[in-house]
PDB file of all heavy atoms in Angstrom:
ATOM      1  N   ILE A  21       0.834  -1.231   0.029  1.00 90.00           N
ATOM      2  CA  ILE A  21       0.032  -0.080  -0.023  1.00 90.00           C
ATOM      3  C   ILE A  21       0.871   1.229  -0.017  1.00 90.00           C
ATOM      4  O   ILE A  21       0.553   2.263  -0.733  1.00 90.00           O
ATOM      5  CB  ILE A  21      -0.918   0.072   1.252  1.00 90.00           C
ATOM      6  CG1 ILE A  21      -1.965  -1.116   1.059  1.00 90.00           C
ATOM      7  CG2 ILE A  21      -1.638   1.366   1.342  1.00 90.00           C
ATOM      8  CD1 ILE A  21      -2.899  -1.311   2.267  1.00 90.00           C
ATOM      9  N   SER A  22       1.947   1.240   0.791  1.00 87.00           N
ATOM     10  CA  SER A  22       2.806   2.418   0.831  1.00 87.00           C
ATOM     11  C   SER A  22       3.479   2.627  -0.502  1.00 87.00           C
ATOM     12  O   SER A  22       3.611   3.861  -0.938  1.00 87.00           O
ATOM     13  CB  SER A  22       3.900   2.125   1.861  1.00 87.00           C
ATOM     14  OG  SER A  22       3.366   2.021   3.126  1.00 87.00           O
ATOM     15  N   ILE A  23       3.821   1.601  -1.161  1.00 88.00           N
ATOM     16  CA  ILE A  23       4.510   1.718  -2.486  1.00 88.00           C
ATOM     17  C   ILE A  23       3.450   2.315  -3.518  1.00 88.00           C
ATOM     18  O   ILE A  23       3.811   3.319  -4.322  1.00 88.00           O
ATOM     19  CB  ILE A  23       5.000   0.476  -3.029  1.00 88.00           C
ATOM     20  CG1 ILE A  23       6.176  -0.007  -2.131  1.00 88.00           C
ATOM     21  CG2 ILE A  23       5.493   0.529  -4.478  1.00 88.00           C
ATOM     22  CD1 ILE A  23       6.709  -1.412  -2.445  1.00 88.00           C
ATOM     23  N   ILE A  24       2.266   1.853  -3.502  1.00 90.00           N
ATOM     24  CA  ILE A  24       1.170   2.333  -4.411  1.00 90.00           C
ATOM     25  C   ILE A  24       0.887   3.818  -4.175  1.00 90.00           C
ATOM     26  O   ILE A  24       0.869   4.604  -5.039  1.00 90.00           O
ATOM     27  CB  ILE A  24      -0.035   1.427  -4.327  1.00 90.00           C
ATOM     28  CG1 ILE A  24       0.288   0.041  -4.844  1.00 90.00           C
ATOM     29  CG2 ILE A  24      -1.103   2.077  -5.104  1.00 90.00           C
ATOM     30  CD1 ILE A  24      -0.813  -0.986  -4.599  1.00 90.00           C
ATOM     31  N   ILE A  25       0.634   4.064  -2.864  1.00 90.00           N
ATOM     32  CA  ILE A  25       0.289   5.466  -2.476  1.00 90.00           C
ATOM     33  C   ILE A  25       1.428   6.451  -2.779  1.00 90.00           C
ATOM     34  O   ILE A  25       1.292   7.532  -3.292  1.00 90.00           O
ATOM     35  CB  ILE A  25      -0.164   5.467  -0.977  1.00 90.00           C
ATOM     36  CG1 ILE A  25      -1.422   4.762  -0.792  1.00 90.00           C
ATOM     37  CG2 ILE A  25      -0.329   6.994  -0.561  1.00 90.00           C
ATOM     38  CD1 ILE A  25      -1.952   4.681   0.718  1.00 90.00           C
ATOM     39  N   GLY A  26       2.666   5.938  -2.381  1.00 87.00           N
ATOM     40  CA  GLY A  26       3.789   6.813  -2.656  1.00 87.00           C
ATOM     41  C   GLY A  26       4.017   7.131  -4.140  1.00 87.00           C
ATOM     42  O   GLY A  26       4.364   8.244  -4.526  1.00 87.00           O
ATOM     43  N   SER A  27       3.771   6.122  -4.957  1.00 87.00           N
ATOM     44  CA  SER A  27       3.913   6.302  -6.423  1.00 87.00           C
ATOM     45  C   SER A  27       2.892   7.253  -7.023  1.00 87.00           C
ATOM     46  O   SER A  27       3.204   8.170  -7.803  1.00 87.00           O
ATOM     47  CB  SER A  27       3.805   4.977  -7.106  1.00 87.00           C
ATOM     48  OG  SER A  27       4.867   4.060  -6.703  1.00 87.00           O
ATOM     49  N   LEU A  28       1.688   7.097  -6.540  1.00 89.00           N
ATOM     50  CA  LEU A  28       0.573   8.019  -6.960  1.00 89.00           C
ATOM     51  C   LEU A  28       0.891   9.491  -6.476  1.00 89.00           C
ATOM     52  O   LEU A  28       0.629  10.412  -7.231  1.00 89.00           O
ATOM     53  CB  LEU A  28      -0.762   7.570  -6.381  1.00 89.00           C
ATOM     54  CG  LEU A  28      -1.289   6.205  -6.947  1.00 89.00           C
ATOM     55  CD1 LEU A  28      -2.535   5.775  -6.288  1.00 89.00           C
ATOM     56  CD2 LEU A  28      -1.514   6.281  -8.464  1.00 89.00           C
ATOM     57  N   LEU A  29       1.337   9.638  -5.234  1.00 89.00           N
ATOM     58  CA  LEU A  29       1.662  10.947  -4.734  1.00 89.00           C
ATOM     59  C   LEU A  29       2.840  11.564  -5.580  1.00 89.00           C
ATOM     60  O   LEU A  29       2.781  12.764  -5.883  1.00 89.00           O
ATOM     61  CB  LEU A  29       1.993  10.878  -3.309  1.00 89.00           C
ATOM     62  CG  LEU A  29       0.853  10.688  -2.279  1.00 89.00           C
ATOM     63  CD1 LEU A  29       1.443  10.545  -0.854  1.00 89.00           C
ATOM     64  CD2 LEU A  29      -0.012  11.907  -2.343  1.00 89.00           C
ATOM     65  N   MET A  30       3.788  10.704  -5.866  1.00 87.00           N
ATOM     66  CA  MET A  30       4.928  11.193  -6.685  1.00 87.00           C
ATOM     67  C   MET A  30       4.404  11.646  -8.113  1.00 87.00           C
ATOM     68  O   MET A  30       4.862  12.648  -8.663  1.00 87.00           O
ATOM     69  CB  MET A  30       6.044  10.128  -6.847  1.00 87.00           C
ATOM     70  CG  MET A  30       7.211  10.623  -7.593  1.00 87.00           C
ATOM     71  SD  MET A  30       7.983  12.069  -6.822  1.00 87.00           S
ATOM     72  CE  MET A  30       8.859  12.730  -8.240  1.00 87.00           C
ATOM     73  N   TYR A  31       3.529  10.887  -8.623  1.00 85.00           N
ATOM     74  CA  TYR A  31       3.051  11.213  -9.955  1.00 85.00           C
ATOM     75  C   TYR A  31       2.298  12.593  -9.915  1.00 85.00           C
ATOM     76  O   TYR A  31       2.424  13.421 -10.816  1.00 85.00           O
ATOM     77  CB  TYR A  31       2.078  10.148 -10.496  1.00 85.00           C
ATOM     78  CG  TYR A  31       1.572  10.321 -11.850  1.00 85.00           C
ATOM     79  CD1 TYR A  31       2.348  10.074 -12.937  1.00 85.00           C
ATOM     80  CD2 TYR A  31       0.257  10.847 -12.088  1.00 85.00           C
ATOM     81  CE1 TYR A  31       1.912  10.266 -14.270  1.00 85.00           C
ATOM     82  CE2 TYR A  31      -0.185  11.035 -13.445  1.00 85.00           C
ATOM     83  CZ  TYR A  31       0.595  10.766 -14.406  1.00 85.00           C
ATOM     84  OH  TYR A  31       0.145  10.966 -15.746  1.00 85.00           O
ATOM     85  N   ALA A  32       1.492  12.763  -8.829  1.00 86.00           N
ATOM     86  CA  ALA A  32       0.751  14.019  -8.717  1.00 86.00           C
ATOM     87  C   ALA A  32       1.701  15.226  -8.436  1.00 86.00           C
ATOM     88  O   ALA A  32       1.549  16.293  -9.039  1.00 86.00           O
ATOM     89  CB  ALA A  32      -0.281  13.947  -7.511  1.00 86.00           C
ATOM     90  N   ILE A  33       2.676  14.946  -7.566  1.00 85.00           N
ATOM     91  CA  ILE A  33       3.612  16.038  -7.152  1.00 85.00           C
ATOM     92  C   ILE A  33       4.506  16.453  -8.381  1.00 85.00           C
ATOM     93  O   ILE A  33       4.768  17.644  -8.673  1.00 85.00           O
ATOM     94  CB  ILE A  33       4.495  15.607  -5.976  1.00 85.00           C
ATOM     95  CG1 ILE A  33       3.632  15.533  -4.710  1.00 85.00           C
ATOM     96  CG2 ILE A  33       5.634  16.660  -5.755  1.00 85.00           C
ATOM     97  CD1 ILE A  33       4.311  14.877  -3.555  1.00 85.00           C
ATOM     98  N   SER A  34       4.891  15.444  -9.135  1.00 81.00           N
ATOM     99  CA  SER A  34       5.739  15.680 -10.313  1.00 81.00           C
ATOM    100  C   SER A  34       4.981  16.484 -11.392  1.00 81.00           C
ATOM    101  O   SER A  34       5.555  17.266 -12.088  1.00 81.00           O
ATOM    102  CB  SER A  34       6.329  14.358 -10.927  1.00 81.00           C
ATOM    103  OG  SER A  34       5.204  13.623 -11.376  1.00 81.00           O
ATOM    104  N   GLY A  35       3.675  16.212 -11.473  1.00 81.00           N
ATOM    105  CA  GLY A  35       2.843  16.956 -12.435  1.00 81.00           C
ATOM    106  C   GLY A  35       2.785  18.466 -12.095  1.00 81.00           C
ATOM    107  O   GLY A  35       2.893  19.331 -12.914  1.00 81.00           O
ATOM    108  N   VAL A  36       2.718  18.700 -10.751  1.00 79.00           N
ATOM    109  CA  VAL A  36       2.733  20.129 -10.310  1.00 79.00           C
ATOM    110  C   VAL A  36       4.039  20.783 -10.507  1.00 79.00           C
ATOM    111  O   VAL A  36       4.179  21.872 -10.982  1.00 79.00           O
ATOM    112  CB  VAL A  36       2.271  20.255  -8.790  1.00 79.00           C
ATOM    113  CG1 VAL A  36       2.398  21.647  -8.331  1.00 79.00           C
ATOM    114  CG2 VAL A  36       0.915  19.646  -8.602  1.00 79.00           C
ATOM    115  N   ALA A  37       5.092  20.024 -10.200  1.00 75.00           N
ATOM    116  CA  ALA A  37       6.486  20.514 -10.324  1.00 75.00           C
ATOM    117  C   ALA A  37       6.910  20.764 -11.833  1.00 75.00           C
ATOM    118  O   ALA A  37       7.605  21.776 -12.023  1.00 75.00           O
ATOM    119  CB  ALA A  37       7.484  19.548  -9.708  1.00 75.00           C
ATOM    120  N   LEU A  38       6.379  19.915 -12.697  1.00 76.00           N
ATOM    121  CA  LEU A  38       6.735  20.069 -14.122  1.00 76.00           C
ATOM    122  C   LEU A  38       5.720  20.891 -14.900  1.00 76.00           C
ATOM    123  O   LEU A  38       5.892  21.001 -16.087  1.00 76.00           O
ATOM    124  CB  LEU A  38       6.765  18.626 -14.708  1.00 76.00           C
ATOM    125  CG  LEU A  38       7.940  17.682 -14.232  1.00 76.00           C
ATOM    126  CD1 LEU A  38       7.807  16.362 -14.848  1.00 76.00           C
ATOM    127  CD2 LEU A  38       9.258  18.315 -14.456  1.00 76.00           C
ATOM    128  N   LYS A  39       4.794  21.499 -14.202  1.00 76.00           N
ATOM    129  CA  LYS A  39       3.837  22.358 -14.921  1.00 76.00           C
ATOM    130  C   LYS A  39       4.514  23.510 -15.577  1.00 76.00           C
ATOM    131  O   LYS A  39       4.180  23.942 -16.720  1.00 76.00           O
ATOM    132  CB  LYS A  39       2.762  22.802 -13.925  1.00 76.00           C
ATOM    133  CG  LYS A  39       1.661  23.659 -14.612  1.00 76.00           C
ATOM    134  CD  LYS A  39       0.644  24.054 -13.516  1.00 76.00           C
ATOM    135  CE  LYS A  39      -0.479  24.905 -14.195  1.00 76.00           C
ATOM    136  NZ  LYS A  39      -1.512  25.361 -13.200  1.00 76.00           N
ATOM    137  N   GLN A  40       5.475  24.149 -14.880  1.00 75.00           N
ATOM    138  CA  GLN A  40       6.288  25.230 -15.419  1.00 75.00           C
ATOM    139  C   GLN A  40       7.117  24.776 -16.626  1.00 75.00           C
ATOM    140  O   GLN A  40       7.259  25.555 -17.605  1.00 75.00           O
ATOM    141  CB  GLN A  40       7.094  25.844 -14.345  1.00 75.00           C
ATOM    142  CG  GLN A  40       6.389  26.453 -13.198  1.00 75.00           C
ATOM    143  CD  GLN A  40       5.518  27.698 -13.649  1.00 75.00           C
ATOM    144  OE1 GLN A  40       5.863  28.387 -14.597  1.00 75.00           O
ATOM    145  NE2 GLN A  40       4.435  27.904 -12.998  1.00 75.00           N
ATOM    146  N   VAL A  41       7.636  23.470 -16.551  1.00 74.00           N
ATOM    147  CA  VAL A  41       8.418  23.076 -17.659  1.00 74.00           C
ATOM    148  C   VAL A  41       7.505  22.964 -18.917  1.00 74.00           C
ATOM    149  O   VAL A  41       7.872  23.260 -20.033  1.00 74.00           O
ATOM    150  CB  VAL A  41       8.968  21.642 -17.392  1.00 74.00           C
ATOM    151  CG1 VAL A  41       9.701  21.069 -18.571  1.00 74.00           C
ATOM    152  CG2 VAL A  41       9.891  21.757 -16.164  1.00 74.00           C
ATOM    153  N   THR A  42       6.256  22.380 -18.737  1.00 75.00           N
ATOM    154  CA  THR A  42       5.287  22.303 -19.831  1.00 75.00           C
ATOM    155  C   THR A  42       4.935  23.632 -20.418  1.00 75.00           C
ATOM    156  O   THR A  42       4.910  23.837 -21.679  1.00 75.00           O
ATOM    157  CB  THR A  42       4.025  21.614 -19.347  1.00 75.00           C
ATOM    158  OG1 THR A  42       4.334  20.355 -18.833  1.00 75.00           O
ATOM    159  CG2 THR A  42       3.058  21.400 -20.509  1.00 75.00           C
ATOM    160  N   LEU A  43       4.731  24.623 -19.464  1.00 75.00           N
ATOM    161  CA  LEU A  43       4.415  26.001 -19.937  1.00 75.00           C
ATOM    162  C   LEU A  43       5.625  26.594 -20.717  1.00 75.00           C
ATOM    163  O   LEU A  43       5.448  27.198 -21.814  1.00 75.00           O
ATOM    164  CB  LEU A  43       4.196  26.866 -18.713  1.00 75.00           C
ATOM    165  CG  LEU A  43       3.822  28.376 -19.027  1.00 75.00           C
ATOM    166  CD1 LEU A  43       2.559  28.446 -19.850  1.00 75.00           C
ATOM    167  CD2 LEU A  43       3.652  29.088 -17.654  1.00 75.00           C
ATOM    168  N   LEU A  44       6.830  26.424 -20.222  1.00 75.00           N
ATOM    169  CA  LEU A  44       8.024  26.931 -20.948  1.00 75.00           C
ATOM    170  C   LEU A  44       8.110  26.193 -22.332  1.00 75.00           C
ATOM    171  O   LEU A  44       8.461  26.868 -23.301  1.00 75.00           O
ATOM    172  CB  LEU A  44       9.302  26.671 -20.067  1.00 75.00           C
ATOM    173  CG  LEU A  44      10.561  27.156 -20.684  1.00 75.00           C
ATOM    174  CD1 LEU A  44      10.554  28.655 -20.936  1.00 75.00           C
ATOM    175  CD2 LEU A  44      11.716  26.743 -19.810  1.00 75.00           C
ATOM    176  N   SER A  45       7.832  24.935 -22.349  1.00 73.00           N
ATOM    177  CA  SER A  45       7.941  24.153 -23.642  1.00 73.00           C
ATOM    178  C   SER A  45       6.942  24.679 -24.613  1.00 73.00           C
ATOM    179  O   SER A  45       7.211  24.766 -25.830  1.00 73.00           O
ATOM    180  CB  SER A  45       7.723  22.712 -23.327  1.00 73.00           C
ATOM    181  OG  SER A  45       7.745  21.981 -24.524  1.00 73.00           O
ATOM    182  N   GLN A  46       5.764  25.016 -24.153  1.00 73.00           N
ATOM    183  CA  GLN A  46       4.682  25.545 -25.175  1.00 73.00           C
ATOM    184  C   GLN A  46       5.212  26.881 -25.699  1.00 73.00           C
ATOM    185  O   GLN A  46       4.861  27.215 -26.851  1.00 73.00           O
ATOM    186  CB  GLN A  46       3.391  25.688 -24.333  1.00 73.00           C
ATOM    187  CG  GLN A  46       2.725  24.318 -23.980  1.00 73.00           C
ATOM    188  CD  GLN A  46       1.549  24.432 -23.163  1.00 73.00           C
ATOM    189  OE1 GLN A  46       1.286  25.557 -22.645  1.00 73.00           O
ATOM    190  NE2 GLN A  46       0.855  23.360 -22.891  1.00 73.00           N
ATOM    191  N   LYS A  47       5.733  27.762 -24.823  1.00 72.00           N
ATOM    192  CA  LYS A  47       6.184  29.020 -25.313  1.00 72.00           C
ATOM    193  C   LYS A  47       7.285  28.895 -26.310  1.00 72.00           C
ATOM    194  O   LYS A  47       7.295  29.627 -27.368  1.00 72.00           O
ATOM    195  CB  LYS A  47       6.665  29.945 -24.077  1.00 72.00           C
ATOM    196  CG  LYS A  47       5.599  30.366 -23.156  1.00 72.00           C
ATOM    197  CD  LYS A  47       6.132  31.187 -22.029  1.00 72.00           C
ATOM    198  CE  LYS A  47       5.079  31.764 -21.154  1.00 72.00           C
ATOM    199  NZ  LYS A  47       4.141  32.718 -21.725  1.00 72.00           N
ATOM    200  N   ILE A  48       8.198  27.981 -26.062  1.00 74.00           N
ATOM    201  CA  ILE A  48       9.302  27.792 -27.030  1.00 74.00           C
ATOM    202  C   ILE A  48       8.850  27.140 -28.312  1.00 74.00           C
ATOM    203  O   ILE A  48       9.314  27.564 -29.415  1.00 74.00           O
ATOM    204  CB  ILE A  48      10.349  26.833 -26.387  1.00 74.00           C
ATOM    205  CG1 ILE A  48      10.993  27.539 -25.161  1.00 74.00           C
ATOM    206  CG2 ILE A  48      11.387  26.397 -27.343  1.00 74.00           C
ATOM    207  CD1 ILE A  48      12.029  26.664 -24.426  1.00 74.00           C
ATOM    208  N   ALA A  49       7.761  26.310 -28.257  1.00 72.00           N
ATOM    209  CA  ALA A  49       7.315  25.630 -29.459  1.00 72.00           C
ATOM    210  C   ALA A  49       6.665  26.676 -30.372  1.00 72.00           C
ATOM    211  O   ALA A  49       6.502  26.406 -31.613  1.00 72.00           O
ATOM    212  CB  ALA A  49       6.251  24.568 -29.032  1.00 72.00           C
ATOM    213  N   ASN A  50       6.180  27.725 -29.900  1.00 69.00           N
ATOM    214  CA  ASN A  50       5.529  28.790 -30.716  1.00 69.00           C
ATOM    215  C   ASN A  50       6.468  29.631 -31.384  1.00 69.00           C
ATOM    216  O   ASN A  50       6.023  30.567 -32.189  1.00 69.00           O
ATOM    217  CB  ASN A  50       4.520  29.642 -29.804  1.00 69.00           C
ATOM    218  CG  ASN A  50       3.398  28.850 -29.336  1.00 69.00           C
ATOM    219  OD1 ASN A  50       2.905  27.900 -29.930  1.00 69.00           O
ATOM    220  ND2 ASN A  50       2.919  29.202 -28.109  1.00 69.00           N
ATOM    221  N   ILE A  51       7.759  29.463 -31.182  1.00 70.00           N
ATOM    222  CA  ILE A  51       8.810  30.260 -31.798  1.00 70.00           C
ATOM    223  C   ILE A  51       9.336  29.646 -33.079  1.00 70.00           C
ATOM    224  O   ILE A  51       9.632  28.456 -33.066  1.00 70.00           O
ATOM    225  CB  ILE A  51       9.968  30.613 -30.827  1.00 70.00           C
ATOM    226  CG1 ILE A  51       9.386  31.297 -29.572  1.00 70.00           C
ATOM    227  CG2 ILE A  51      10.994  31.520 -31.507  1.00 70.00           C
ATOM    228  CD1 ILE A  51      10.433  31.513 -28.567  1.00 70.00           C
ATOM    229  N   ASP A  52       9.419  30.410 -34.163  1.00 67.00           N
ATOM    230  CA  ASP A  52      10.056  29.834 -35.391  1.00 67.00           C
ATOM    231  C   ASP A  52      10.993  30.959 -35.915  1.00 67.00           C
ATOM    232  O   ASP A  52      11.194  32.000 -35.273  1.00 67.00           O
ATOM    233  CB  ASP A  52       8.970  29.410 -36.427  1.00 67.00           C
ATOM    234  CG  ASP A  52       8.053  30.676 -36.843  1.00 67.00           C
ATOM    235  OD1 ASP A  52       8.520  31.806 -36.685  1.00 67.00           O
ATOM    236  OD2 ASP A  52       6.917  30.342 -37.269  1.00 67.00           O
ATOM    237  N   LYS A  53      11.588  30.671 -37.082  1.00 63.00           N
ATOM    238  CA  LYS A  53      12.588  31.661 -37.602  1.00 63.00           C
ATOM    239  C   LYS A  53      12.049  32.969 -37.896  1.00 63.00           C
ATOM    240  O   LYS A  53      12.771  34.002 -38.066  1.00 63.00           O
ATOM    241  CB  LYS A  53      13.197  30.999 -38.825  1.00 63.00           C
ATOM    242  CG  LYS A  53      12.315  30.855 -40.000  1.00 63.00           C
ATOM    243  CD  LYS A  53      13.004  30.288 -41.238  1.00 63.00           C
ATOM    244  CE  LYS A  53      12.097  30.228 -42.423  1.00 63.00           C
ATOM    245  NZ  LYS A  53      12.852  29.763 -43.650  1.00 63.00           N
ATOM    246  N   ASN A  54      10.652  33.085 -38.016  1.00 65.00           N
ATOM    247  CA  ASN A  54      10.009  34.344 -38.332  1.00 65.00           C
ATOM    248  C   ASN A  54       9.608  35.114 -37.062  1.00 65.00           C
ATOM    249  O   ASN A  54       9.153  36.173 -37.140  1.00 65.00           O
ATOM    250  CB  ASN A  54       8.810  34.174 -39.272  1.00 65.00           C
ATOM    251  CG  ASN A  54       9.152  33.562 -40.584  1.00 65.00           C
ATOM    252  OD1 ASN A  54      10.166  33.954 -41.185  1.00 65.00           O
ATOM    253  ND2 ASN A  54       8.397  32.611 -41.043  1.00 65.00           N
ATOM    254  N   GLU A  55       9.791  34.451 -35.920  1.00 66.00           N
ATOM    255  CA  GLU A  55       9.466  35.061 -34.656  1.00 66.00           C
ATOM    256  C   GLU A  55      10.570  35.157 -33.703  1.00 66.00           C
ATOM    257  O   GLU A  55      10.457  34.966 -32.459  1.00 66.00           O
ATOM    258  CB  GLU A  55       8.272  34.263 -34.060  1.00 66.00           C
ATOM    259  CG  GLU A  55       6.993  34.292 -34.847  1.00 66.00           C
ATOM    260  CD  GLU A  55       6.323  35.581 -34.758  1.00 66.00           C
ATOM    261  OE1 GLU A  55       6.634  36.386 -33.854  1.00 66.00           O
ATOM    262  OE2 GLU A  55       5.497  35.848 -35.713  1.00 66.00           O
ATOM    263  N   LEU A  56      11.772  35.339 -34.182  1.00 66.00           N
ATOM    264  CA  LEU A  56      12.959  35.421 -33.362  1.00 66.00           C
ATOM    265  C   LEU A  56      12.996  36.686 -32.462  1.00 66.00           C
ATOM    266  O   LEU A  56      13.809  36.707 -31.499  1.00 66.00           O
ATOM    267  CB  LEU A  56      14.205  35.364 -34.247  1.00 66.00           C
ATOM    268  CG  LEU A  56      14.491  34.060 -34.959  1.00 66.00           C
ATOM    269  CD1 LEU A  56      15.769  34.128 -35.831  1.00 66.00           C
ATOM    270  CD2 LEU A  56      14.630  32.895 -33.972  1.00 66.00           C
ATOM    271  N   SER A  57      12.230  37.622 -32.722  1.00 67.00           N
ATOM    272  CA  SER A  57      12.113  38.825 -31.851  1.00 67.00           C
ATOM    273  C   SER A  57      11.311  38.580 -30.611  1.00 67.00           C
ATOM    274  O   SER A  57      11.340  39.357 -29.673  1.00 67.00           O
ATOM    275  CB  SER A  57      11.475  39.960 -32.648  1.00 67.00           C
ATOM    276  OG  SER A  57      10.202  39.683 -33.109  1.00 67.00           O
ATOM    277  N   PHE A  58      10.644  37.400 -30.566  1.00 72.00           N
ATOM    278  CA  PHE A  58       9.863  37.049 -29.368  1.00 72.00           C
ATOM    279  C   PHE A  58      10.764  36.706 -28.177  1.00 72.00           C
ATOM    280  O   PHE A  58      11.813  36.087 -28.384  1.00 72.00           O
ATOM    281  CB  PHE A  58       8.938  35.865 -29.676  1.00 72.00           C
ATOM    282  CG  PHE A  58       8.133  35.378 -28.480  1.00 72.00           C
ATOM    283  CD1 PHE A  58       7.021  36.043 -28.082  1.00 72.00           C
ATOM    284  CD2 PHE A  58       8.595  34.237 -27.820  1.00 72.00           C
ATOM    285  CE1 PHE A  58       6.322  35.559 -26.907  1.00 72.00           C
ATOM    286  CE2 PHE A  58       7.935  33.773 -26.687  1.00 72.00           C
ATOM    287  CZ  PHE A  58       6.768  34.402 -26.271  1.00 72.00           C
ATOM    288  N   ARG A  59      10.369  37.180 -26.990  1.00 73.00           N
ATOM    289  CA  ARG A  59      11.131  36.839 -25.825  1.00 73.00           C
ATOM    290  C   ARG A  59      10.171  36.372 -24.721  1.00 73.00           C
ATOM    291  O   ARG A  59       9.029  36.763 -24.599  1.00 73.00           O
ATOM    292  CB  ARG A  59      11.915  38.114 -25.346  1.00 73.00           C
ATOM    293  CG  ARG A  59      12.986  38.578 -26.274  1.00 73.00           C
ATOM    294  CD  ARG A  59      14.146  37.615 -26.448  1.00 73.00           C
ATOM    295  NE  ARG A  59      15.100  38.158 -27.341  1.00 73.00           N
ATOM    296  CZ  ARG A  59      15.105  37.956 -28.669  1.00 73.00           C
ATOM    297  NH1 ARG A  59      14.156  37.305 -29.225  1.00 73.00           N
ATOM    298  NH2 ARG A  59      16.055  38.487 -29.439  1.00 73.00           N
TER     299      ARG A  59
END
């Protein structure tokens, strides 16, 4: 039970921790050679 609950908690916590990474990835994905002035 501890292993299962710990894994689920880690999955939830990592999702919150990596939310900013996902946001940064989306911002970077919207940049192409015609949008190099974007910051």
Side-chain angles (χ1 to χ4, degrees):
I21 294 174
S22 297
I23 293 172
I24 294 174
I25 294 176
S27 299
L28 293 175
L29 285 174
M30 183 58 201
Y31 185 78
I33 293 171
S34 62
V36 176
L38 295 175
K39 184 178 180 181
Q40 294 296 330
V41 176
T42 304
L43 179 61
L44 180 61
S45 177
Q46 291 173 350
K47 289 180 177 293
I48 293 174
N50 293 328
I51 301 173
D52 56 27
K53 66 178 182 178
N54 297 319
E55 294 291 339
L56 291 178
S57 59
F58 175 81
R59 296 294 180 272

